Amino acid sequence: MDEINKNEIKSDDSDEEVGLNGYLIEEGLETYKYEFYDDIKIEIEGQELQNVNVQPSTGLLPWPASRILSLYISKFKEEFIGKDIVELGSGVGLCGLVSSKYSNFTLFSDGDEKSLPLLRDNVKSNSSLFNNNDDRISIERLYWGNNQPTLDHFIQQYSTKYNFDTIIGSDLIYVDASIEPLFFTVDSILKTNKTGGKGIFYLSFLDRKNHFPTLKSVSEKYNFTMEIIELNKFVNYDAPTNAKMLIFKKN
């Protein structure tokens, strides 16, 4: 099951709207404790949500959809066992940490340089999930979209070593304009695997502005099929009403 076992932070209406469930333990960076299926216990640090317009870095927050995707991974672990996995927009690293328990290799990535030190600390402090074997994880800065040096570097460095056919991401969509570069990146990574591009992209997010039409059209452009997963199959708390869990498959 999934629970956080400290006193809940009192949030205003705007915080509740985005569904951030955080529990304050100490001043400064807050500590968030999670329990998921398969007896997974994770403790990470992150900032409290203030205002997304003035937040120093969105990558420093444990966003609500990461809890949803982490539940999915731990509930349906068979889909991730032995996989080489890329997490896009890792932020504080929650979903990647859950996947690292099952994967052959997990690559955490984020384009926000400010978030990377905290991400490294969170991964290190939960290294028991991947048996303290640093060969099973890596952390990289990665921008999305065409003509991005970080994506070229990623492909050159990892494509011959790993068979990335599984990509995960949570709360990656805030505006429709981000969807095209996101799927370009997903498609580019999958093209490096041994199947010539086949693979799966797991995405959880809060649908704040009806992103479905753009998601459908862009994913079809890259030859993905989209499946909507019912949250009641694995979510064991009252998730935000606009929370979504999607699986994009490319065969």
Side-chain angles (χ1 to χ4, degrees), residues 4 6 22-34 43-46:
I4 309 176
K6 287 290 179 180
Y23 292 71
L24 179 63
I25 296 177
E26 57 190 13
E27 294 182 356
L29 284 176
E30 296 166 10
T31 300
Y32 297 79
K33 292 187 176 182
Y34 296 89
E43 183 173 319
I44 59 174
E45 291 192 333

Side-chain angles (χ1 to χ4, degrees), residues 51-109:
N51 182 313
V52 293
N53 296 316
V54 299
Q55 198 77 31
S57 169
T58 56
L60 299 174
L61 301 170
W63 288 93
S66 64
R67 189 180 181 189
I68 292 171
L69 180 55
S70 296
L71 277 168
Y72 183 93
I73 295 169
S74 61
K75 178 70 172 180
F76 304 105
K77 60 185 180 182
E78 295 81 6
E79 299 176 28
F80 304 89
I81 292 175
K83 297 289 187 177
D84 292 335
I85 296 173
V86 177
E87 180 181 26
L88 298 177
S90 293
V92 293
L94 184 62
C95 302
L97 283 168
V98 176
S99 74
S100 73
K101 178 177 174 67
Y102 309 111
S103 66
N104 173 63
F105 181 81
T106 294
L107 190 145
F108 300 78
S109 72

Side-chain angles (χ1 to χ4, degrees), residues 5 33-43 126 128-129:
N5 48 14
K33 292 187 176 182
Y34 296 89
E35 294 185 10
F36 298 109
Y37 296 106
D38 204 23
D39 197 32
I40 293 178
K41 297 179 175 63
I42 293 177
E43 183 173 319
N126 291 277
S128 60
L129 286 165

Side-chain angles (χ1 to χ4, degrees), residues 222-233:
Y222 287 96
N223 298 314
F224 286 92
T225 59
M226 183 175 74
E227 179 183 2
I228 302 173
I229 307 300
E230 295 180 12
L231 297 187
N232 60 15
K233 292 182 177 180

Side-chain angles (χ1 to χ4, degrees), residues 75-245:
K75 178 70 172 180
F76 304 105
K77 60 185 180 182
E78 295 81 6
E79 299 176 28
F80 304 89
I81 292 175
K83 297 289 187 177
D84 292 335
I85 296 173
V86 177
E87 180 181 26
L88 298 177
S90 293
V92 293
L94 184 62
C95 302
L97 283 168
V98 176
S99 74
S100 73
K101 178 177 174 67
Y102 309 111
S103 66
N104 173 63
F105 181 81
T106 294
L107 190 145
F108 300 78
S109 72
D110 204 289
D112 185 355
E113 191 171 14
K114 294 178 182 178
S115 71
L116 295 181
L118 181 59
L119 174 59
R120 292 188 182 99
D121 288 345
N122 283 336
V123 171
K124 182 178 180 180
S125 64
N126 291 277
S127 60
S128 60
L129 286 165
F130 47 90
N131 297 322
N132 300 300
N133 183 355
D134 289 342
D135 290 337
R136 290 181 54 194
I137 62 98
S138 187
I139 299 171
E140 293 286 344
R141 189 179 187 184
L142 180 62
Y143 288 114
W144 308 340
N146 198 6
N147 298 319
Q148 291 292 348
T150 57
L151 180 56
D152 295 337
H153 168 77
F154 167 88
I155 292 173
Q156 292 172 5
Q157 183 169 352
Y158 292 99
S159 62
T160 60
K161 298 179 182 178
Y162 302 102
N163 185 39
F164 292 121
D165 62 0
T166 303
I167 299 176
I168 62 175
S170 63
D171 263 321
L172 303 182
I173 299 173
Y174 305 98
V175 294
D176 278 358
S178 67
I179 296 175
E180 168 68 32
L182 171 61
F183 273 87
F184 177 90
T185 303
V186 170
D187 185 60
S188 297
I189 293 172
L190 292 179
K191 282 180 178 176
T192 68
N193 68 39
K194 297 175 182 177
T195 66
K198 296 178 182 179
I200 302 179
F201 174 34
Y202 298 86
L203 175 67
S204 63
F205 70 105
L206 301 190
D207 193 18
R208 300 174 177 90
K209 298 180 180 179
N210 188 24
H211 299 295
F212 268 89
T214 304
L215 269 172
K216 186 175 186 298
S217 63
V218 174
S219 62
E220 288 178 350
K221 171 185 172 181
Y222 287 96
N223 298 314
F224 286 92
T225 59
M226 183 175 74
E227 179 183 2
I228 302 173
I229 307 300
E230 295 180 12
L231 297 187
N232 60 15
K233 292 182 177 180
F234 63 97
V235 172
N236 51 14
Y237 68 99
D238 291 330
T241 56
N242 60 345
K244 307 296 180 183
M245 177 72 208

